[in-house]
Structure formats: structure tokens, C-alpha cells
Amino acid sequence: MSQPSPDTLQLTGSGRLRNFLTIDALPRSILEEILDTAASFVDVGDRSIKKVPLLRGKTVINLFFEPSTRTRTTFELAAKRLSADVLNMDIARSSTSKGETLMDMLRNLEAMSADMFVVRHGDSGAVDYIARHATPEVAIINAGDGRHAHPTQAMLDMYTIRHYKGGFAGLKVAIVGDILHSRVARSEIHALNILGAEEVRVVAPRTLLPADIDSLGAKVFTRLEDGLRDADVVIALRLQKERMSAALLPSESEFFRLYGLTNERLAVAHPDAIVMHPGPINRGVEIASEVADGPRAVILHQVTFGIAVRMAVMSLCMSGRETEREAAHAAAR
């Protein structure tokens, strides 16, 4: 597959990461750098002092316009393990709920000498908009926007796959469930194709497939057993009922009967197949407890690796910006 063209909003002039908004416009070398850097951070959590000084003196602000527990917490832990000062904005109680515009709020936060915004927003494209309009001094990390992208979740999933499978060449990866509403699925499909997976599959009822699925680079299956056959990696997605504006499913029990992961259905996958889920899990809807708690599941490891991957993204963005500033100062002298 051809490499995407360089993205100046995300990359510096020398090709280093400056914002992390989406995966589809990034080259393979950047994704591999994130994975390699994350590998150097994985054992930080096992040390007696769980910190490295890379972001000492920097201020990271978490701006979550949607509810989140796992993602917000792991971003906060990642920033603290990099020694940054962290501020979590309670948007429901912020001045935006009193009529202040988003850009006015951002300008005020920038005036507090923030160095990085980690943003989750319910509207697709909102994080890109912020990156284009925020001061160039502030790095922007996308923590999930609408149905568009969730690039750090995709990268922690890539890290998990590489950890257990050694690489991506020759792998068949099946993504099962609510593809239509999943920003995770879109980012995973892009990442798997860029990193060289042999075959990326999506498995879902037609009502939960996006209209542009053929253009994303995934093979479509509507029957679960066909999609799971010989798969090396199986990723179950959460049913996002909060994003469903119409009745797209007869019932949750009917979805589980046709698309729920059970040991019996996974028998057609590769014997060494691993099972992943971005969480939170709906047991008995997307996945049976026997699978979620079974030997194939690596779901809790995804959470652990997520901290290291987010540390990698944050440190690489900050490092890219520091290098860009030094080059600009040198050119001005």
C-alpha cells in the first residue's frame, strides 16, 4: 500500500511529530517510532519511582467534552509519569457551559502558558479545528473525536498486536461489531494497513457498516464465522448505543446471538489468535465472559500498554516542537 503524503499540521518541516490528530496521513516510520518509544516506557510503571523527567516544567491540560474514564485516566497518568503538571478541565462546569465560545476558552487556557491540550470531543473534526486555530506553541493530541478518529487507542492496539505477534506481516485481523459508529475501527484500519498487515477485515451487520467502508481498505464480512476464519487477531468493538439515532438492531440479545464472541465461534480462528477489546466491555452483548476472562484475551494488557503509548505520543510531540523551535531560532540568528 502506498504511503500517505506528509501532513504539515501533524509533522514539522523535518518530518517529526508536532500534533497527533489522525493516523491516515502519517508515514509508517512515525507509527514505528511511536511503538519503539512506547517500548522504552513500558517498565516505568514497575519502578519504585514511576517518573521520567521528559516533560518536567510543561503543563498538559485534558479537555474532555465527552465522558471518559479509561482514556482520560491513562492520559493523566502518562503525563504525570513524564513529570508534567496536569490540569483536568471539567467541561460540564466550565465557562463554555455559561456561554463562552470554545475558542475564547482556548485563548484563556493558552494565556496560562499551557504546552499541550489533550482533547476529546463528540463532533468529528473538532480536534482538527482546534489544532488549526490554537496558538502554534501548544501541541494538540486527539483523544477521540466523533466517529472520525481515536489515534492513541489504535496505536496502543498496534502495540499490543506487535507485542504478542512480533510484527504485522502475514497477519489477518478481524474487527467485529459496531463499525459504523466506531472511531477506533477507522483508526485501526488505517494503522494496520500502513504497518503492513496482510488482511484487515470488518465483521458486522449491514446496518452497522459505514457507506464508505470499501474505501477504507478493509474486507467486509456480514457472517461472523466467515470473518473469524483463520484470523490471527480478533478485536471486538463496543455497541455505541449513545450514537445510534435509529433502531439499527432488533435487540442486544439478537446481536449477541449473531455476532457475540464465544469460545465456540472462535474455534474457526487461528489456534493462537488473541482477542482484544477497547473497552468498556458489555459482557453478553459483544463478548462472552468465558472469552473476556479466558486465555486468548489480552484486554487488560491493552490498558497497561496504553499508558506507555500515550507517554510516547506526548513526548514525541513535545520533542518535535522543541526541535522546530531550536531550528527557527538558529535560522533567525
Side-chain angles (χ1 to χ4, degrees):
M1 186 173 180
S2 61
Q3 294 294 304
S5 58
D7 179 345
T8 54
L9 187 60
Q10 297 194 96
L11 301 178
T12 68
S14 58
R16 301 190 63 182
L17 203 60
R18 62 198 306 275
N19 297 311
F20 193 55
L21 310 175
T22 183
I23 285 175
D24 53 309
L26 293 176
R28 178 171 180 161
S29 60
I30 289 290
L31 303 194
E32 291 177 336
E33 184 179 25
I34 291 171
L35 298 179
D36 292 342
T37 304
S40 71
F41 291 139
V42 165
D43 69 346
V44 172
D46 298 326
R47 301 176 187 172
S48 56
I49 298 176
K50 300 178 174 60
K51 283 184 181 293
V52 292
L54 294 176
L55 295 192
R56 181 178 295 160
K58 304 296 184 183
T59 301
V60 176
I61 299 182
N62 287 328
L63 294 168
F64 277 60
F65 295 83
E66 282 189 327
S68 170
T69 301
R70 193 185 333 259
T71 301
R72 191 192 61 76
T73 303
T74 53
F75 264 114
E76 182 177 354
L77 266 178
K80 288 180 175 177
R81 287 185 181 175
L82 290 166
S83 303
D85 297 317
V86 183
L87 176 63
N88 294 310
M89 290 291 295
D90 186 348
I91 301 299
R93 298 175 185 274
S94 77
S95 50
T96 55
S97 65
K98 301 173 184 173
E100 185 179 42
T101 68
L102 172 63
M103 291 313 301
D104 283 338
M105 184 189 75
L106 292 175
R107 293 286 178 252
N108 278 278
L109 294 174
E110 289 167 2
M112 300 175 196
S113 301
D115 297 288
M116 179 178 291
F117 292 154
V118 178
V119 185
R120 167 169 284 196
H121 202 289
D123 294 337
S124 300
V127 183
D128 185 276
Y129 176 85
I130 291 170
R132 292 182 187 280
H133 292 84
T135 174
E137 300 300 317
V138 180
I140 309 296
I141 310 294
N142 187 355
D145 64 321
R147 301 182 188 180
H148 171 235
H150 197 345
T152 59
Q153 177 67 47
M155 288 310 298
L156 75 87
D157 291 343
M158 297 307 107
Y159 187 94
T160 305
I161 292 171
R162 193 176 77 163
H163 177 83
Y164 283 99
K165 295 298 178 182
F168 298 89
L171 289 186
K172 298 180 177 68
V173 181
I175 305 172
V176 182
D178 186 358
I179 310 296
L180 176 63
H181 302 98
S182 177
R183 52 198 175 203
V184 175
R186 288 177 180 274
S187 293
E188 286 172 339
I189 292 169
H190 289 307
L192 288 163
N193 281 316
I194 292 170
L195 290 167
E198 178 178 317
E199 186 173 88
V200 184
R201 305 171 179 174
V202 292
V203 189
R206 293 197 182 281
T207 54
L208 292 182
L209 288 169
D212 63 343
I213 188 62
D214 291 333
S215 67
L216 296 179
K219 191 172 182 179
V220 177
F221 294 85
T222 56
R223 186 171 178 272
L224 180 60
E225 286 72 13
D226 295 338
L228 294 182
R229 193 169 304 284
D230 299 324
D232 301 286
V233 177
V234 180
I235 304 173
L237 299 174
R238 182 176 68 86
L239 274 183
Q240 299 192 36
K241 291 177 287 186
E242 72 277 15
R243 298 186 193 280
M244 295 184 186
S245 57
L248 300 176
L249 294 170
S251 66
E252 291 181 350
S253 60
E254 183 69 1
F255 179 84
F256 182 71
R257 187 179 72 81
L258 294 174
Y259 293 95
L261 294 182
T262 63
N263 282 336
E264 182 179 2
R265 291 199 174 109
L266 285 166
V268 301
H270 191 282
D272 294 329
I274 59 173
V275 175
M276 303 166 60
H277 193 301
I281 293 173
N282 291 315
R283 293 173 184 260
V285 178
E286 304 119 17
I287 188 169
S289 289
E290 64 182 14
V291 176
D293 301 327
R296 293 175 183 268
V298 296
I299 297 167
L300 293 180
H301 295 285
Q302 290 175 256
V303 178
T304 301
F305 294 148
I307 299 170
V309 167
R310 284 167 177 141
M311 289 173 71
V313 169
M314 297 167 99
S315 62
L316 287 172
C317 284
M318 203 59 73
S319 173
R321 285 173 172 274
E322 294 288 349
T323 303
E324 189 175 41
R325 273 193 286 269
E326 290 170 4
H329 290 157
R333 284 199 291 266

PDB file of all heavy atoms in Angstrom, residues 22 26 39 47 97 119 167 170 206 241 264 273 280 289:
ATOM      1  N   THR A  22      -4.676  12.283  13.692  1.00  0.00           N
ATOM      2  CA  THR A  22      -5.235  11.151  12.963  1.00  0.00           C
ATOM      3  C   THR A  22      -4.093  10.336  12.398  1.00  0.00           C
ATOM      4  O   THR A  22      -2.970  10.835  12.240  1.00  0.00           O
ATOM      5  CB  THR A  22      -6.167  11.644  11.837  1.00  0.00           C
ATOM      6  OG1 THR A  22      -6.760  10.531  11.178  1.00  0.00           O
ATOM      7  CG2 THR A  22      -5.410  12.487  10.824  1.00  0.00           C
ATOM      8  N   LEU A  26      -0.212   9.816   8.211  1.00  0.00           N
ATOM      9  CA  LEU A  26       1.148   9.660   8.744  1.00  0.00           C
ATOM     10  C   LEU A  26       1.904   8.539   8.040  1.00  0.00           C
ATOM     11  O   LEU A  26       1.316   7.534   7.642  1.00  0.00           O
ATOM     12  CB  LEU A  26       1.088   9.368  10.250  1.00  0.00           C
ATOM     13  CG  LEU A  26       0.564  10.503  11.124  1.00  0.00           C
ATOM     14  CD1 LEU A  26       0.456  10.043  12.568  1.00  0.00           C
ATOM     15  CD2 LEU A  26       1.486  11.722  11.027  1.00  0.00           C
ATOM     16  N   ALA A  39       7.839   1.218  23.804  1.00  0.00           N
ATOM     17  CA  ALA A  39       8.526   0.049  24.385  1.00  0.00           C
ATOM     18  C   ALA A  39       9.516   0.472  25.462  1.00  0.00           C
ATOM     19  O   ALA A  39       9.727  -0.246  26.446  1.00  0.00           O
ATOM     20  CB  ALA A  39       9.224  -0.736  23.280  1.00  0.00           C
ATOM     21  N   ARG A  47       8.727   0.634  38.266  1.00  0.00           N
ATOM     22  CA  ARG A  47       9.822   1.187  39.056  1.00  0.00           C
ATOM     23  C   ARG A  47       9.314   1.721  40.402  1.00  0.00           C
ATOM     24  O   ARG A  47       8.121   2.015  40.552  1.00  0.00           O
ATOM     25  CB  ARG A  47      10.506   2.328  38.285  1.00  0.00           C
ATOM     26  CG  ARG A  47      11.084   1.908  36.941  1.00  0.00           C
ATOM     27  CD  ARG A  47      11.649   3.106  36.209  1.00  0.00           C
ATOM     28  NE  ARG A  47      12.062   2.759  34.855  1.00  0.00           N
ATOM     29  CZ  ARG A  47      12.458   3.653  33.944  1.00  0.00           C
ATOM     30  NH1 ARG A  47      12.518   4.937  34.264  1.00  0.00           N
ATOM     31  NH2 ARG A  47      12.800   3.264  32.732  1.00  0.00           N
ATOM     32  N   SER A  97     -20.070  26.216  29.392  1.00  0.00           N
ATOM     33  CA  SER A  97     -21.468  25.946  29.728  1.00  0.00           C
ATOM     34  C   SER A  97     -22.199  27.219  30.115  1.00  0.00           C
ATOM     35  O   SER A  97     -23.410  27.228  30.290  1.00  0.00           O
ATOM     36  CB  SER A  97     -21.555  24.915  30.871  1.00  0.00           C
ATOM     37  OG  SER A  97     -21.008  25.464  32.057  1.00  0.00           O
ATOM     38  N   VAL A 119      -7.502  16.470  23.801  1.00  0.00           N
ATOM     39  CA  VAL A 119      -8.893  16.844  23.545  1.00  0.00           C
ATOM     40  C   VAL A 119      -9.732  15.642  23.140  1.00  0.00           C
ATOM     41  O   VAL A 119      -9.361  14.884  22.225  1.00  0.00           O
ATOM     42  CB  VAL A 119      -8.986  17.906  22.426  1.00  0.00           C
ATOM     43  CG1 VAL A 119     -10.434  18.368  22.263  1.00  0.00           C
ATOM     44  CG2 VAL A 119      -8.068  19.083  22.711  1.00  0.00           C
ATOM     45  N   GLY A 167       5.040  -8.701  14.963  1.00  0.00           N
ATOM     46  CA  GLY A 167       5.013  -7.799  13.816  1.00  0.00           C
ATOM     47  C   GLY A 167       3.661  -7.893  13.137  1.00  0.00           C
ATOM     48  O   GLY A 167       2.714  -8.463  13.703  1.00  0.00           O
ATOM     49  N   GLY A 170       1.847 -10.770   7.331  1.00  0.00           N
ATOM     50  CA  GLY A 170       1.164 -12.062   7.316  1.00  0.00           C
ATOM     51  C   GLY A 170      -0.036 -12.168   8.228  1.00  0.00           C
ATOM     52  O   GLY A 170      -0.694 -13.209   8.271  1.00  0.00           O
ATOM     53  N   ARG A 206     -25.097  -5.331   8.103  1.00  0.00           N
ATOM     54  CA  ARG A 206     -25.007  -4.222   7.136  1.00  0.00           C
ATOM     55  C   ARG A 206     -25.451  -2.896   7.746  1.00  0.00           C
ATOM     56  O   ARG A 206     -24.979  -1.831   7.344  1.00  0.00           O
ATOM     57  CB  ARG A 206     -25.850  -4.542   5.904  1.00  0.00           C
ATOM     58  CG  ARG A 206     -25.300  -5.702   5.095  1.00  0.00           C
ATOM     59  CD  ARG A 206     -25.869  -5.773   3.692  1.00  0.00           C
ATOM     60  NE  ARG A 206     -25.335  -6.921   2.979  1.00  0.00           N
ATOM     61  CZ  ARG A 206     -24.130  -6.961   2.417  1.00  0.00           C
ATOM     62  NH1 ARG A 206     -23.341  -5.907   2.494  1.00  0.00           N
ATOM     63  NH2 ARG A 206     -23.719  -8.046   1.784  1.00  0.00           N
ATOM     64  N   LYS A 241     -24.522   2.597  21.643  1.00  0.00           N
ATOM     65  CA  LYS A 241     -25.959   2.923  21.603  1.00  0.00           C
ATOM     66  C   LYS A 241     -26.202   4.426  21.719  1.00  0.00           C
ATOM     67  O   LYS A 241     -27.186   4.939  21.191  1.00  0.00           O
ATOM     68  CB  LYS A 241     -26.676   2.166  22.726  1.00  0.00           C
ATOM     69  CG  LYS A 241     -26.718   0.656  22.499  1.00  0.00           C
ATOM     70  CD  LYS A 241     -27.353  -0.062  23.657  1.00  0.00           C
ATOM     71  CE  LYS A 241     -26.418  -0.068  24.851  1.00  0.00           C
ATOM     72  NZ  LYS A 241     -26.951  -0.893  25.967  1.00  0.00           N
ATOM     73  N   GLU A 264     -16.908 -21.109  21.252  1.00  0.00           N
ATOM     74  CA  GLU A 264     -17.347 -21.960  20.142  1.00  0.00           C
ATOM     75  C   GLU A 264     -17.117 -21.262  18.799  1.00  0.00           C
ATOM     76  O   GLU A 264     -16.604 -21.869  17.851  1.00  0.00           O
ATOM     77  CB  GLU A 264     -18.831 -22.301  20.319  1.00  0.00           C
ATOM     78  CG  GLU A 264     -19.372 -23.231  19.243  1.00  0.00           C
ATOM     79  CD  GLU A 264     -20.845 -23.559  19.461  1.00  0.00           C
ATOM     80  OE1 GLU A 264     -21.428 -23.030  20.435  1.00  0.00           O
ATOM     81  OE2 GLU A 264     -21.404 -24.320  18.654  1.00  0.00           O
ATOM     82  N   ALA A 273      -4.819 -17.282  18.080  1.00  0.00           N
ATOM     83  CA  ALA A 273      -5.433 -15.941  17.939  1.00  0.00           C
ATOM     84  C   ALA A 273      -5.595 -15.278  19.302  1.00  0.00           C
ATOM     85  O   ALA A 273      -5.931 -15.935  20.296  1.00  0.00           O
ATOM     86  CB  ALA A 273      -6.781 -16.055  17.244  1.00  0.00           C
ATOM     87  N   PRO A 280     -15.299   0.280  27.197  1.00  0.00           N
ATOM     88  CA  PRO A 280     -15.706  -0.684  28.214  1.00  0.00           C
ATOM     89  C   PRO A 280     -16.461  -1.860  27.603  1.00  0.00           C
ATOM     90  O   PRO A 280     -17.144  -1.701  26.600  1.00  0.00           O
ATOM     91  CB  PRO A 280     -16.614   0.142  29.135  1.00  0.00           C
ATOM     92  CG  PRO A 280     -17.138   1.239  28.261  1.00  0.00           C
ATOM     93  CD  PRO A 280     -16.065   1.554  27.282  1.00  0.00           C
ATOM     94  N   SER A 289     -18.310 -13.793  28.778  1.00  0.00           N
ATOM     95  CA  SER A 289     -17.342 -13.738  29.878  1.00  0.00           C
ATOM     96  C   SER A 289     -16.271 -14.809  29.733  1.00  0.00           C
ATOM     97  O   SER A 289     -15.104 -14.591  30.090  1.00  0.00           O
ATOM     98  CB  SER A 289     -18.060 -13.891  31.224  1.00  0.00           C
ATOM     99  OG  SER A 289     -18.807 -12.737  31.523  1.00  0.00           O
TER     100      SER A 289
END
